[in-house]
Amino acid sequence: MFGRQRFLATLSLELLPFLLSSFAVEPIASPDSILIRPIAVYQSLIKGVHDYFNNTCVILLRGSSRPIEEEGMEQLDGLLALQRYFSGSLNIRTAIMDFQMFKNRVGKTYRQIKRPLFVLLNDLEETKQQFVLVSKWIGMAYPTWLLFLRDESNVEEVLTNVYVPFDCVLMVAQRNTEGAGEIIRDVYRIGKEDRLRWMTFGTWNVTHGFRGPLLGLYQRRHDLYGQNIRVVVIEDPPISRIVRNETSNQTIGVRGFFGEVLQLLQEGMNCTFTYEEASWGVRLPNGTWTGSIRMLLEDEADLAATELMMTSDRLDAVKFTTPVYSTKCRVYIKRPDSKAVKWNTYFAPFASNIWNAIAITIVLTTLAIAGIEGFSSRTSEFPPSPFRLSEIVFLVFGVFCGQGMEPSSLDPIRLVHLSIHLTAVVVIAAYSAALISYLAIKTFVMPFTTMEGLLVDGTYRFAVVADSADYSFFQNTTDRILNVMFEELLTRETDLPANYLDGLKRVCTESKYAFMTLDNMAAVLRGKVDCALEPLDVMMQTTIAMAVPSQSPYRGIIDTNILLLRDSGILQRLLKTEWSTNEYTTKTGWTSVELQEATPLLVFMLLSFLVAGMALMVERMVRRDRERIRVVATRQQAAN
């Protein structure tokens, strides 16, 4: 009998909160009561929010700094009942803390808690005061917040001194005065000085439980209502061209690829952009930053809108948006000169074995002609040939040089002549075609193709854009070769290029100048420089994005709009349009043969004239000596 009564009493205590909530009857609570809702409302509503956001834990925050053991029995039982329900029945990790305990035990390590749900059980004065203090040092956007308000409370008055960032999810639950259940509002501020804004997030009632929105956070918060976003831009033509006021020289906009992206972001977010100009920014040895990164860190800008490379040191300082595009990074040099005199030009079209075959052919055909003529003069009435063997060799060689031969009356020799002429025609035609191709096609040989080869060559200067991630990459690298390049080459450059266009122009104008840039930038700028650029091997694959401060409330909405541009194909179209508009096109048409490419032939002809002249002089001298000797001999004979 006693056990049955105890069971009924326990069952009644467990069902009592649900019965109270069903009839919308609030428990009688003192003005400083921690729980301002029936326990069943807390349990169901908190569980619904937890499931909606898939939180990993629940932290129940109370404003009182008194130990929980000093709370009234009713408050203590209610808090412990909530903890038992979440931890025991639902297996949700749950902790009960006051704000002071949270600051002492958790403090700055709160980010080690993954996806927490912070629940403010009431809006009492002590809770409001403690919440204002906590909101000043905690990253409000990191946890999910749920605040329970009393019927007479006003959300603006409760949160008047609390900055709720644009990307913070803070839900305020208040009893529905027009019916049973709760109305949950989503509150936020667009800027620190902006008024508190809210919209209906969901509802809760006994019948249906919690019902949240179907749209995502930035589908609901898609409008910045003209909020000013401070943008830092960099002069990096052609994809970032700064527009200045003609009278004040003040930066008023940006053109090029990033200008188009910013225009679309401004329209999509309904905001206003103001611009400041800076450099990319590098980390100094003392740990401070320069340029656009410094402006983001010191709250002088909200967005760095330029082609920033994602590097490890930058990731430690700022946050990057969704990548805009990916590209490759490598070093470019000026195409080596292909107009140097090549002394083997007229011998290169054929290999040595072909020249040997021609020489053997000349020798064999000469011997064949001489043999046929010698045999015919002995066995027939044909007179012997007037040509000696050396003369026949020159005649056959003359055929291969396009000359004719003295006709013969012997049919066998005519057949040999025919075979010689046919062979010479084929050889001359093949040689001419190969020689023309060899002279007309501009070929060059890269002096090196790797960074190690550039270092070993030792004759090239090397540079990157000043005050950029490229410089930081070499400064902080652990690669031995790249570190040596930084120490021996890069640190010697006292005047580094201001942007990619400046660097590529120096490649063309300065002797043996190597410059590291992005593939897409090189493709865009090829048509704006006066020389042909040749790339070395790829150094790394890099991702280009814009940057925001680490605690920026606008990163999420910017990422959302960039993803919309990418998924709709607009971003790819902008990239294609920008690259195709500025892309270098290869010149087509006839290729001329330069005079210096004929230098070997001209030198050969000049040497031939000199040798022929010297031979003529020697021959004249020999002939004169012979004539003098003959005259002397004749006189001696006459005297005798």
Side-chain angles (χ1 to χ4, degrees), residues 22 32 41 81 86 107 149 158 177 254 258 262 275 278 286 323 343 356 375 470 490 508 550 589:
S22 299
D32 58 350
V41 176
F86 293 119
L149 294 186
V158 173
T177 57
V254 61
F258 279 95
L262 288 175
Y275 300 92
N286 61 5
W343 296 100
N356 294 333
F375 180 78
D470 304 341
L490 196 54
C508 294
S550 297

Side-chain angles (χ1 to χ4, degrees), residues 200-432:
T200 300
F201 181 82
T203 60
W204 176 90
N205 56 50
V206 177
T207 305
H208 300 100
F210 173 77
R211 287 187 172 182
L214 299 178
L215 299 178
L217 177 63
Y218 296 107
Q219 289 177 304
R220 305 192 307 272
R221 301 182 191 177
H222 56 82
D223 195 338
L224 293 180
Y225 297 98
Q227 174 70 18
N228 178 50
I229 305 295
R230 300 165 299 172
V231 181
V232 55
V233 292
I234 298 171
E235 179 69 20
D236 187 25
I239 63 174
S240 290
R241 300 190 300 272
I242 293 178
V243 181
R244 294 181 176 87
N245 188 291
E246 294 183 357
T247 56
S248 63
N249 201 35
Q250 184 179 3
T251 302
I252 58 175
V254 61
R255 292 177 181 170
F257 170 74
F258 279 95
E260 296 291 338
V261 172
L262 288 175
Q263 181 66 31
L264 293 172
L265 290 179
Q266 182 172 330
E267 294 175 0
M269 299 187 298
N270 188 24
C271 62
T272 302
F273 287 148
T274 56
Y275 300 92
E276 291 289 339
E277 183 181 359
S279 60
W280 274 276
V282 295
R283 186 171 60 183
L284 301 177
N286 61 5
T288 60
W289 285 83
T290 63
S292 60
I293 306 299
R294 180 196 63 80
M295 295 182 67
L296 294 177
L297 291 174
E298 298 181 4
D299 195 28
E300 296 179 9
D302 302 308
L303 174 66
T306 187
E307 60 278 14
L308 291 172
M309 293 172 56
M310 290 186 179
T311 59
S312 57
D313 54 347
R314 284 179 173 176
L315 286 169
D316 294 335
V318 297
K319 297 295 183 183
F320 284 89
T321 64
T322 295
V324 180
Y325 60 85
S326 295
T327 185
K328 296 176 181 178
C329 187
R330 69 177 92 204
V331 172
Y332 284 80
I333 62 174
K334 183 179 179 180
R335 176 177 293 180
D337 189 6
S338 61
K339 297 181 180 179
V341 177
K342 300 177 182 178
W343 296 100
N344 65 336
T345 300
Y346 293 88
F347 298 96
F350 288 116
S352 59
N353 58 346
I354 297 181
W355 294 112
N356 294 333
I358 294 175
I360 293 173
T361 302
I362 294 174
V363 173
L364 292 178
T365 52
T366 301
L367 295 176
I369 293 173
I372 293 172
E373 287 181 345
F375 180 78
S376 299
S377 63
R378 291 190 182 94
T379 60
S380 64
E381 68 278 3
F382 290 101
S385 173
F387 301 107
R388 292 176 296 176
L389 183 63
S390 59
E391 294 176 343
I392 298 175
V393 172
F394 278 104
L395 290 175
V396 175
F397 177 74
V399 174
F400 282 93
C401 294
Q403 303 298 318
M405 290 184 69
E406 187 72 22
S408 175
S409 57
L410 297 176
D411 291 338
I413 295 180
R414 291 177 180 175
L415 292 177
V416 175
H417 287 181
L418 177 61
S419 62
I420 294 173
H421 281 285
L422 291 177
T423 304
V425 168
V426 174
V427 170
I428 291 174
Y431 177 82
S432 301

Side-chain angles (χ1 to χ4, degrees), residues 64-120:
S64 176
S65 58
R66 298 191 304 271
I68 191 172
E69 294 81 5
E70 297 181 9
E71 299 288 349
M73 184 61 67
E74 180 181 355
Q75 304 299 320
L76 179 60
D77 288 346
L79 290 173
L80 294 178
L82 285 176
Q83 188 176 36
R84 286 195 303 269
Y85 174 73
F86 293 119
S87 298
S89 301
L90 303 179
N91 293 321
I92 300 173
R93 290 180 297 172
T94 306
I96 303 174
M97 294 185 183
D98 59 70
F99 285 97
Q100 192 63 36
M101 180 188 300
F102 174 75
K103 183 176 181 181
N104 294 336
R105 294 188 179 182
V106 180
K108 298 294 185 178
T109 63
Y110 67 90
R111 289 187 178 274
Q112 298 179 6
I113 308 173
K114 303 300 181 182
R115 302 194 310 278
L117 172 60
F118 288 1
V119 179
L120 280 67

